[in-house]
Amino acid sequence: MSNRIIVTGGAGFIGSAVVRHIISNTADEVCVIDKLTYAGNLESLAPAATSDRFHFEKADICDLAAMEKIFSEFAPTHVMHLAAESHVDRSIDGPGEFIQTNIVGTYTLLEAARKYYSTLDETAKEKFRFHHISTDEVYGDLEGPEDLFRETTPYAPSSPYSASKAASDHLVRAWKRTFKLPTLVTNCSNNYGPYHFPEKLIPLVILHALDGKELPVYGKGLQIRDWLYVEDHARALYLVATTGVPGETYNIGGYNEKQNIEVVKTICSLLDELRPKSDKKSYAEQIVYVADRPGHDMRYAIDAGKITRELGWKPLETFESGIRKTVEWYLAHKDDWCANVLSGGYKMERLGKGE
């Protein structure tokens, strides 16, 4: 039998990739729950939204009554919880929203799931899973150049964002141990790819470069991140939700460690090739170095060996193939999806539809 999957935050960057993957590659039904904050974009769901297996509910995960109603009416077999505030700089400027959405929202969703789970028969309980999608930032940063984040790495969050995600991870594990809710947790490295909101490094650099703007790099750009193509992540998340072992944590990484400055220069080189300037100058001349953010972690790197050994997942994209696909996508969609996001038009379209 096919699955019935709730995806919270399904209009966001990773969530929409998960939804597109499910609709395109399985027979499952999907119910997207999204509050449609600034980062929620219905246009990112357009490839999936025409399917009769796609459903959408505009709702806040902090609204218990709304969550209970959706659980009751949709009757999910799986929950994939991606709804979160996720931008570190925004968490520094205004931590309160991160506490509310990432901690209170996760608690509320767990309670709705627990109530729903209690109504299921034993066969349905055996199938039900609550999959919480988290981040590698809960681990803090790495000291040695050879060290990696593993599922057993102690938590040491550095920002309000990562602290709020760490708290939500602990709640999910507590609901498994105390209430026997069958939960799973995944922690992933930095994602990139199509439909990424332009405040994040890679889309920001692409669009700023094309517009002739400065390309801001924190500090000297020596911070190291492990980059994971979003479609590889979507495959991994679906695999964990449907075949992972309750109570387990799976780290998901791309095996692509790059310094931020290396990422920026790679994008500039691709743009030099794919969209050369009329004056023949390199986009790299637009790079500027700015003051580092407070508490900036220096290095993240994931050991994804467990999910490979136990579930058979591995990334299909190298950084070189994935970043080329990403740049090509933004070049192809600069005048539609990107323009609509940058102008705020995607928000106005919601209002016009009574949302």
Side-chain angles (χ1 to χ4, degrees):
M1 293 180 62
S2 60
N3 302 309
R4 297 176 60 81
I5 304 175
I6 284 176
V7 180
T8 72
F13 171 48
I14 300 174
S16 65
V18 169
V19 173
R20 295 191 302 271
H21 172 77
I22 294 172
I23 294 298
S24 296
N25 297 285
T26 78
D28 297 346
E29 290 202 39
V30 177
C31 178
V32 170
I33 299 175
D34 203 295
K35 186 181 177 181
L36 293 179
T37 61
Y38 77 96
N41 189 346
L42 292 175
E43 292 181 9
S44 302
L45 291 167
T50 56
S51 171
D52 59 5
R53 294 179 288 114
F54 173 88
H55 312 274
F56 179 80
E57 295 284 348
K58 184 177 184 294
D60 185 344
I61 59 169
C62 295
D63 184 342
L64 181 59
M67 294 303 103
E68 289 180 343
K69 183 174 185 290
I70 293 168
F71 272 82
S72 176
E73 292 178 351
F74 184 69
T77 58
H78 299 74
V79 177
M80 299 179 72
H81 174 37
L82 295 102
E85 295 287 344
S86 65
H87 190 49
V88 174
D89 286 345
R90 286 178 182 264
S91 81
I92 294 170
D93 293 337
E97 290 185 14
F98 289 73
I99 302 304
Q100 183 68 15
T101 298
N102 298 355
I103 301 177
V104 177
T106 298
Y107 156 74
T108 304
L109 197 66
L110 283 165
E111 282 296 89
R114 181 164 74 99
K115 180 178 179 180
Y116 167 75
Y117 182 71
S118 71
T119 69
L120 301 178
D121 61 30
E122 290 307 312
T123 300
K125 283 184 176 179
E126 190 68 26
K127 184 172 186 178
F128 183 82
R129 299 289 185 269
F130 184 107
H131 176 194
H132 175 64
I133 289 83
S134 189
T135 171
D136 60 358
E137 294 191 39
V138 298
Y139 300 123
D141 59 2
L142 295 164
E143 294 184 6
E146 304 301 322
D147 200 9
L148 297 170
F149 292 138
R150 297 176 174 84
E151 288 80 2
T152 55
T153 299
Y155 277 27
S158 303
S159 69
Y161 160 59
S162 56
S164 67
K165 289 298 290 186
S168 65
D169 292 8
H170 292 318
L171 288 174
V172 171
R173 294 188 179 101
W175 260 243
K176 168 69 171 64
R177 180 160 181 170
T178 302
F179 302 115
K180 311 305 180 187
L181 188 69
T183 66
L184 307 105
V185 175
T186 50
N187 299 86
C188 71
S189 58
N190 282 37
N191 279 221
Y192 70 101
Y195 300 100
H196 205 176
F197 196 79
E199 68 184 356
K200 298 300 180 78
L201 176 65
I202 287 176
L204 184 144
V205 168
I206 296 170
L207 297 176
H208 274 212
L210 293 171
D211 289 341
K213 298 178 180 178
E214 292 182 343
L215 307 180
V217 175
Y218 280 127
K220 296 182 179 179
L222 303 181
Q223 303 87 355
I224 295 172
R225 300 293 181 261
D226 175 19
W227 292 95
L228 173 65
Y229 192 63
V230 70
E231 292 177 10
D232 278 333
H233 190 198
R235 289 189 302 104
L237 293 179
Y238 181 78
L239 188 65
V240 170
T242 55
T243 66
V245 177
E248 291 295 317
T249 296
Y250 300 90
N251 280 354
I252 307 170
Y255 294 106
N256 288 302
E257 288 187 58
K258 303 289 180 182
Q259 291 181 338
N260 285 349
I261 189 60
E262 187 179 357
V263 172
V264 174
K265 288 182 177 180
T266 298
I267 293 169
C268 290
S269 294
L270 284 168
L271 290 173
D272 289 341
E273 172 195 339
L274 300 169
R275 187 67 59 85
K277 291 184 178 184
S278 58
D279 62 9
K280 306 302 181 183
K281 290 183 178 180
S282 173
Y283 289 95
E285 293 184 21
Q286 295 166 223
I287 295 172
V288 297
Y289 297 92
V290 300
D292 211 350
R293 73 158 58 117
H296 203 170
D297 293 329
M298 279 304 297
R299 177 174 173 258
Y300 304 150
I302 286 274
D303 178 354
K306 178 178 177 178
I307 190 174
T308 299
R309 291 190 304 272
E310 298 186 7
L311 302 184
W313 174 89
K314 60 181 180 180
L316 299 178
E317 301 291 344
T318 64
F319 183 74
E320 290 69 28
S321 65
I323 196 65
R324 177 174 287 273
K325 285 184 177 181
T326 301
V327 171
E328 289 174 342
W329 187 90
Y330 277 92
L331 288 172
H333 294 277
K334 183 177 186 295
D335 296 328
D336 46 51
W337 187 90
C338 298
N340 217 14
V341 169
L342 293 171
S343 70
Y346 72 110
K347 298 179 184 177
M348 297 306 296
E349 288 177 10
R350 291 183 205 158
L351 295 174
K353 296 174 183 176
E355 294 169 345

